[in-house]
Amino acid sequence: MKDKRILYVSSEVVPYLAENEVSLMSYDAPKMINDQGGQIRIFMPRYGSINERRHQLHEVIRLSGMNLVVNDIDMPLIIKVASIPKERIQVYFIDNDEYFKRKTTFTDDDGTLYPDNDERAIFFTKGVIETIKKLNWVPDIIHVQGWMAALLPAYLKHYYKDESIFADTKVVTSVFNEAFDGVLNATMKEKVAFDKLPADVVEDFAQATFENIMINAIKNSDGVIIASSELPSNLTKFIESSEKPFLPYTAKEGMAEAYTNFYQNIL
């Protein structure tokens, strides 16, 4: 994978958040490609629980300052950056005080999903793509990990379909068993429809469950990785019947070879 550009767009990444299946893989996969000489960048939300001083985050003024429209409301975009210690991998943080300045990630202190998680996901997706455009760093592959990042395949394929710089970019989505209980905001369908995505894409969000969000991501990806040893049976069946190239679950010791071969096949 030498010199290939791979962008990792993740809901959670260690060492910035606690260890779980998504955050660990969102570190391990980029490190593996970085060790092979690939060009790597990572994007994640700048949650309020991330200690900016400890992790040496700083704002990138030349990238910040634009407004993103979410459901007909302008929301200012702030971009921050840090480097993973010892790995020389840059991590870009999508920030907005209204959406991310909270001490928890997806739920409040009582474990209730934030009612604007749908808008946060839309903002994060648009923020990533707009920042990549400004960087003029065109990835060969965008690898999506975690449900907060899972709108990116649909938005890249439809909302940004006329952006010629992404014409040859492939999207790979990892599907984990790190789900959420319940449903995101009942108006998510209308918010996605506001961005004029096709009706069949919009319909996937009529009931914005974890499963439906991941099914939408699978439909709009060029390849799928089963990243957990066990998935809900409906998701497994959908992946297997989707006619998308997919990589079955691979244990960590075999990951480097399996992921590299899969990336090369997608390209």
Side-chain angles (χ1 to χ4, degrees):
M1 298 304 293
K2 184 172 174 57
D3 296 329
K4 292 298 182 185
R5 293 181 171 187
I6 302 186
L7 170 66
Y8 290 88
V9 183
S10 299
S11 297
E12 307 164 77
V13 183
V14 295
Y16 305 105
L17 292 173
E19 293 185 2
N20 60 39
E21 203 166 31
V22 176
S23 65
L24 285 168
M25 186 59 74
S26 297
Y27 169 85
D28 289 339
K31 182 182 183 304
M32 173 263 296
I33 295 299
N34 193 56
D35 290 345
Q36 295 179 27
Q39 298 183 40
I40 301 302
R41 291 185 178 176
I42 303 173
F43 277 71
M44 68 175 291
R46 208 295 290 180
Y47 304 106
S49 59
I50 297 171
N51 188 310
E52 294 197 10
R53 179 176 295 179
R54 181 191 309 147
H55 295 295
Q56 299 181 10
L57 273 67
H58 62 271
E59 184 176 351
V60 187
I61 302 298
R62 70 183 178 89
L63 298 177
S64 301
M66 74 178 88
N67 282 356
L68 304 178
V69 178
V70 178
N71 198 30
D72 206 20
I73 298 174
D74 283 356
M75 304 297 290
L77 172 64
I78 301 167
I79 306 296
K80 295 175 181 174
V81 70
S83 293
I84 295 179
K86 301 179 183 178
E87 298 300 336
R88 293 192 299 178
I89 297 175
Q90 282 191 313
V91 181
Y92 289 82
F93 296 83
I94 299 297
D95 198 5
N96 171 274
D97 285 350
E98 183 73 22
Y99 287 139
F100 297 113
K101 197 174 183 179
R102 308 167 191 181
K103 291 302 182 185
T104 51
T105 51
F106 309 127
T107 63
D108 62 22
D109 291 337
D110 297 323
T112 303
L113 286 167
Y114 286 123
D116 62 351
N117 273 339
D118 57 339
E119 295 182 16
R120 298 168 87 207
I122 293 169
F123 182 89
F124 178 52
T125 292
K126 290 183 174 180
V128 169
I129 298 174
E130 294 293 346
T131 303
I132 288 297
K133 286 166 56 182
K134 271 198 167 185
L135 285 169
N136 198 29
W137 186 86
V138 183
D140 297 297
I141 290 177
I142 300 176
H143 189 160
V144 173
Q145 302 190 91
W147 66 264
M148 181 65 82
L151 299 187
L152 190 142
Y155 269 78
L156 190 69
K157 185 173 182 178
H158 300 290
Y159 187 80
Y160 290 97
K161 66 180 184 298
D162 296 326
E163 297 285 352
S164 59
I165 65 167
F166 297 116
D168 297 322
T169 298
K170 304 298 184 183
V171 180
V172 171
T173 295
S174 282
V175 183
F176 294 87
N177 202 17
E178 294 278 344
F180 59 83
D181 294 325
V183 183
L184 299 190
N185 197 300
T187 63
M188 183 173 185
K189 177 182 174 181
E190 286 71 29
K191 293 167 186 172
V192 175
F194 175 83
D195 288 328
K196 297 182 171 55
L197 272 65
D200 59 329
V201 175
V202 171
E203 196 56 37
D204 287 336
F205 302 102
Q207 189 174 29
T209 61
F210 168 78
E211 205 165 280
N212 287 341
I213 288 171
M214 296 315 303
I215 283 173
N216 176 269
I218 293 162
K219 287 179 182 177
N220 291 285
S221 296
D222 298 294
V224 181
I225 294 175
I226 297 176
S228 295
S229 57
E230 293 184 10
L231 289 181
S233 58
N234 286 349
L235 274 180
T236 302
K237 290 175 184 175
F238 187 84
I239 293 168
E240 292 173 347
S241 65
S242 68
E243 300 185 355
K244 303 281 184 180
F246 75 92
L247 178 68
Y249 175 73
T250 306
K252 186 174 180 178
E253 55 269 20
M255 186 186 78
E257 182 179 4
Y259 276 47
T260 301
N261 289 340
F262 189 70
Y263 287 155
Q264 290 173 336
N265 289 338
I266 293 298
L267 289 171

